[in-house]
Amino acid sequence: MTQVYLRRLSRWQAEQQRDAVADVYVSAYHGAAGAEYRDRRGFLTRFENHGRRPDFDMVVADSGGLVGCVYGFRADRTGDWWAGFRGDLPTEFEELTASGRAFVLAELMVLPAHRRHGVATDLQIRLLTRHDTDLIVAAVDPPDPAGPEAPGSMLLRSWGWLNLGTSDPGDAPGAHDKQLWVRRPLR
């Protein structure tokens, strides 16, 4: 495998790279055949919204073109992040969110040809060591009840994240349940 370089992008640079990032998204998450356009549009809408969030930060992996990226932002102090959570939410997590001490890992993607070479791990470390927070949160698709553990869940578990439970997104169009994962910062 060729050398992969990591670099941080400013909010402006991230916006300039949006189409390349969307290409990685579509290639990294092979959706249903013919759904690429819808998946790409949905991603670009989310990416634009996330890019406006407080403390938006992004790191990309480049090897003669983008091969992966990770980005996130500080969780809203309103606690909306926890809306729909099923279960007993530790009071500490609500307090950390309300005090602006929670960071959301919003997206992590690596092209299939570059997986299992430490690119995702390096991206995660580069992004999360930059932030002065006390809690990091991620939401991933839950596994198919009849199938094996979802790849995103397996990866987070291997990095020491804790599966907190499931969240119901409510009545948002196209939304579905997510598994919420948490961890303490990398320092």
mmCIF file of all heavy atoms in Angstrom, residues 42-63:
data_model
loop_
_atom_site.group_PDB
_atom_site.id
_atom_site.type_symbol
_atom_site.label_atom_id
_atom_site.label_comp_id
_atom_site.label_asym_id
_atom_site.label_seq_id
_atom_site.Cartn_x
_atom_site.Cartn_y
_atom_site.Cartn_z
ATOM 1 N N GLY A 42 -27.991 12.801 0.474
ATOM 2 C CA GLY A 42 -28.241 12.781 1.920
ATOM 3 C C GLY A 42 -26.982 13.090 2.705
ATOM 4 O O GLY A 42 -27.009 13.857 3.669
ATOM 5 N N PHE A 43 -25.868 12.494 2.281
ATOM 6 C CA PHE A 43 -24.605 12.766 2.955
ATOM 7 C C PHE A 43 -24.224 14.232 2.834
ATOM 8 O O PHE A 43 -23.826 14.866 3.814
ATOM 9 C CB PHE A 43 -23.465 11.894 2.408
ATOM 10 C CG PHE A 43 -22.132 12.346 2.914
ATOM 11 C CD1 PHE A 43 -21.743 12.066 4.213
ATOM 12 C CD2 PHE A 43 -21.287 13.115 2.129
ATOM 13 C CE1 PHE A 43 -20.532 12.526 4.706
ATOM 14 C CE2 PHE A 43 -20.075 13.580 2.609
ATOM 15 C CZ PHE A 43 -19.690 13.271 3.903
ATOM 16 N N LEU A 44 -24.314 14.794 1.629
ATOM 17 C CA LEU A 44 -23.929 16.196 1.425
ATOM 18 C C LEU A 44 -24.780 17.137 2.269
ATOM 19 O O LEU A 44 -24.267 18.129 2.808
ATOM 20 C CB LEU A 44 -24.005 16.566 -0.054
ATOM 21 C CG LEU A 44 -22.862 16.019 -0.910
ATOM 22 C CD1 LEU A 44 -23.150 16.221 -2.395
ATOM 23 C CD2 LEU A 44 -21.535 16.658 -0.524
ATOM 24 N N THR A 45 -26.058 16.828 2.421
ATOM 25 C CA THR A 45 -26.933 17.644 3.279
ATOM 26 C C THR A 45 -26.470 17.564 4.730
ATOM 27 O O THR A 45 -26.337 18.589 5.414
ATOM 28 C CB THR A 45 -28.398 17.195 3.149
ATOM 29 O OG1 THR A 45 -28.799 17.347 1.791
ATOM 30 C CG2 THR A 45 -29.307 17.991 4.063
ATOM 31 N N ARG A 46 -26.201 16.346 5.218
ATOM 32 C CA ARG A 46 -25.718 16.182 6.599
ATOM 33 C C ARG A 46 -24.365 16.871 6.776
ATOM 34 O O ARG A 46 -24.138 17.549 7.777
ATOM 35 C CB ARG A 46 -25.590 14.696 6.948
ATOM 36 C CG ARG A 46 -26.884 14.006 7.217
ATOM 37 C CD ARG A 46 -26.699 12.617 7.820
ATOM 38 N NE ARG A 46 -25.716 11.788 7.136
ATOM 39 C CZ ARG A 46 -25.940 11.077 6.039
ATOM 40 N NH1 ARG A 46 -27.133 11.094 5.479
ATOM 41 N NH2 ARG A 46 -24.987 10.338 5.505
ATOM 42 N N PHE A 47 -23.476 16.696 5.807
ATOM 43 C CA PHE A 47 -22.141 17.280 5.890
ATOM 44 C C PHE A 47 -22.222 18.804 5.971
ATOM 45 O O PHE A 47 -21.523 19.431 6.761
ATOM 46 C CB PHE A 47 -21.318 16.837 4.674
ATOM 47 C CG PHE A 47 -19.890 17.285 4.694
ATOM 48 C CD1 PHE A 47 -19.010 16.813 5.654
ATOM 49 C CD2 PHE A 47 -19.417 18.172 3.747
ATOM 50 C CE1 PHE A 47 -17.679 17.225 5.662
ATOM 51 C CE2 PHE A 47 -18.092 18.583 3.746
ATOM 52 C CZ PHE A 47 -17.224 18.104 4.707
ATOM 53 N N GLU A 48 -23.093 19.395 5.168
ATOM 54 C CA GLU A 48 -23.263 20.849 5.209
ATOM 55 C C GLU A 48 -23.769 21.292 6.575
ATOM 56 O O GLU A 48 -23.261 22.261 7.151
ATOM 57 C CB GLU A 48 -24.240 21.280 4.116
ATOM 58 C CG GLU A 48 -24.455 22.776 4.060
ATOM 59 C CD GLU A 48 -25.418 23.177 2.948
ATOM 60 O OE1 GLU A 48 -25.614 22.404 2.000
ATOM 61 O OE2 GLU A 48 -25.970 24.283 3.058
ATOM 62 N N ASN A 49 -24.743 20.580 7.114
ATOM 63 C CA ASN A 49 -25.279 20.923 8.441
ATOM 64 C C ASN A 49 -24.236 20.733 9.533
ATOM 65 O O ASN A 49 -24.092 21.569 10.423
ATOM 66 C CB ASN A 49 -26.522 20.093 8.751
ATOM 67 C CG ASN A 49 -27.702 20.494 7.895
ATOM 68 O OD1 ASN A 49 -27.789 21.626 7.422
ATOM 69 N ND2 ASN A 49 -28.598 19.557 7.660
ATOM 70 N N HIS A 50 -23.499 19.633 9.465
ATOM 71 C CA HIS A 50 -22.464 19.382 10.469
ATOM 72 C C HIS A 50 -21.353 20.418 10.389
ATOM 73 O O HIS A 50 -20.793 20.814 11.418
ATOM 74 C CB HIS A 50 -21.879 17.983 10.290
ATOM 75 C CG HIS A 50 -22.819 16.889 10.652
ATOM 76 N ND1 HIS A 50 -22.674 15.595 10.198
ATOM 77 C CD2 HIS A 50 -23.937 16.876 11.408
ATOM 78 C CE1 HIS A 50 -23.638 14.844 10.669
ATOM 79 N NE2 HIS A 50 -24.424 15.604 11.400
ATOM 80 N N GLY A 51 -21.021 20.862 9.183
ATOM 81 C CA GLY A 51 -19.958 21.845 9.004
ATOM 82 C C GLY A 51 -20.246 23.185 9.664
ATOM 83 O O GLY A 51 -19.339 23.973 9.889
ATOM 84 N N ARG A 52 -21.494 23.435 9.978
ATOM 85 C CA ARG A 52 -21.885 24.696 10.636
ATOM 86 C C ARG A 52 -21.877 24.585 12.154
ATOM 87 O O ARG A 52 -22.111 25.575 12.847
ATOM 88 C CB ARG A 52 -23.296 25.078 10.199
ATOM 89 C CG ARG A 52 -23.409 25.395 8.746
ATOM 90 C CD ARG A 52 -24.825 25.786 8.413
ATOM 91 N NE ARG A 52 -24.990 25.938 6.984
ATOM 92 C CZ ARG A 52 -26.064 25.587 6.314
ATOM 93 N NH1 ARG A 52 -27.104 25.067 6.949
ATOM 94 N NH2 ARG A 52 -26.129 25.758 5.020
ATOM 95 N N ARG A 53 -21.642 23.401 12.671
ATOM 96 C CA ARG A 53 -21.723 23.174 14.108
ATOM 97 C C ARG A 53 -20.512 23.766 14.825
ATOM 98 O O ARG A 53 -19.437 23.925 14.241
ATOM 99 C CB ARG A 53 -21.803 21.678 14.403
ATOM 100 C CG ARG A 53 -22.944 20.953 13.692
ATOM 101 C CD ARG A 53 -24.311 21.389 14.165
ATOM 102 N NE ARG A 53 -24.665 20.919 15.454
ATOM 103 C CZ ARG A 53 -25.309 19.782 15.699
ATOM 104 N NH1 ARG A 53 -25.676 18.998 14.723
ATOM 105 N NH2 ARG A 53 -25.598 19.436 16.932
ATOM 106 N N PRO A 54 -20.671 24.045 16.125
ATOM 107 C CA PRO A 54 -19.547 24.605 16.896
ATOM 108 C C PRO A 54 -18.365 23.636 16.919
ATOM 109 O O PRO A 54 -18.547 22.434 17.069
ATOM 110 C CB PRO A 54 -20.122 24.776 18.302
ATOM 111 C CG PRO A 54 -21.586 24.609 18.184
ATOM 112 C CD PRO A 54 -21.879 23.887 16.916
ATOM 113 N N ASP A 55 -17.184 24.177 16.776
ATOM 114 C CA ASP A 55 -15.943 23.406 16.839
ATOM 115 C C ASP A 55 -15.881 22.271 15.827
ATOM 116 O O ASP A 55 -15.275 21.232 16.076
ATOM 117 C CB ASP A 55 -15.704 22.857 18.247
ATOM 118 C CG ASP A 55 -15.396 23.951 19.240
ATOM 119 O OD1 ASP A 55 -14.900 25.015 18.810
ATOM 120 O OD2 ASP A 55 -15.663 23.761 20.439
ATOM 121 N N PHE A 56 -16.491 22.466 14.655
ATOM 122 C CA PHE A 56 -16.380 21.467 13.585
ATOM 123 C C PHE A 56 -14.904 21.252 13.292
ATOM 124 O O PHE A 56 -14.130 22.193 13.197
ATOM 125 C CB PHE A 56 -17.088 21.965 12.318
ATOM 126 C CG PHE A 56 -16.875 21.065 11.123
ATOM 127 C CD1 PHE A 56 -17.663 19.943 10.930
ATOM 128 C CD2 PHE A 56 -15.878 21.337 10.203
ATOM 129 C CE1 PHE A 56 -17.464 19.112 9.845
ATOM 130 C CE2 PHE A 56 -15.665 20.519 9.105
ATOM 131 C CZ PHE A 56 -16.461 19.390 8.925
ATOM 132 N N ASP A 57 -14.513 20.004 13.177
ATOM 133 C CA ASP A 57 -13.119 19.681 12.890
ATOM 134 C C ASP A 57 -13.082 18.454 11.991
ATOM 135 O O ASP A 57 -13.930 17.565 12.115
ATOM 136 C CB ASP A 57 -12.365 19.407 14.187
ATOM 137 C CG ASP A 57 -10.852 19.464 14.020
ATOM 138 O OD1 ASP A 57 -10.358 19.844 12.942
ATOM 139 O OD2 ASP A 57 -10.157 19.122 14.994
ATOM 140 N N MET A 58 -12.104 18.412 11.093
ATOM 141 C CA MET A 58 -12.031 17.331 10.125
ATOM 142 C C MET A 58 -10.580 16.981 9.834
ATOM 143 O O MET A 58 -9.726 17.860 9.735
ATOM 144 C CB MET A 58 -12.728 17.758 8.835
ATOM 145 C CG MET A 58 -12.764 16.730 7.766
ATOM 146 S SD MET A 58 -13.806 17.347 6.408
ATOM 147 C CE MET A 58 -13.869 15.888 5.414
ATOM 148 N N VAL A 59 -10.331 15.689 9.676
ATOM 149 C CA VAL A 59 -9.023 15.185 9.283
ATOM 150 C C VAL A 59 -9.248 14.248 8.104
ATOM 151 O O VAL A 59 -10.170 13.434 8.119
ATOM 152 C CB VAL A 59 -8.328 14.432 10.443
ATOM 153 C CG1 VAL A 59 -6.993 13.847 9.993
ATOM 154 C CG2 VAL A 59 -8.143 15.346 11.641
ATOM 155 N N VAL A 60 -8.409 14.378 7.084
ATOM 156 C CA VAL A 60 -8.528 13.510 5.914
ATOM 157 C C VAL A 60 -7.250 12.682 5.761
ATOM 158 O O VAL A 60 -6.174 13.076 6.216
ATOM 159 C CB VAL A 60 -8.790 14.302 4.610
ATOM 160 C CG1 VAL A 60 -10.136 15.000 4.676
ATOM 161 C CG2 VAL A 60 -7.678 15.274 4.312
ATOM 162 N N ALA A 61 -7.410 11.532 5.114
ATOM 163 C CA ALA A 61 -6.294 10.672 4.747
ATOM 164 C C ALA A 61 -6.140 10.775 3.242
ATOM 165 O O ALA A 61 -7.113 10.623 2.500
ATOM 166 C CB ALA A 61 -6.569 9.230 5.165
ATOM 167 N N ASP A 62 -4.922 11.049 2.809
ATOM 168 C CA ASP A 62 -4.660 11.283 1.391
ATOM 169 C C ASP A 62 -3.527 10.377 0.924
ATOM 170 O O ASP A 62 -2.518 10.228 1.606
ATOM 171 C CB ASP A 62 -4.264 12.753 1.205
ATOM 172 C CG ASP A 62 -4.287 13.190 -0.240
ATOM 173 O OD1 ASP A 62 -3.622 12.544 -1.062
ATOM 174 O OD2 ASP A 62 -4.962 14.184 -0.526
ATOM 175 N N SER A 63 -3.727 9.780 -0.234
ATOM 176 C CA SER A 63 -2.697 8.953 -0.850
ATOM 177 C C SER A 63 -2.789 9.167 -2.358
ATOM 178 O O SER A 63 -3.149 8.276 -3.113
ATOM 179 C CB SER A 63 -2.912 7.486 -0.491
ATOM 180 O OG SER A 63 -1.906 6.687 -1.059
#
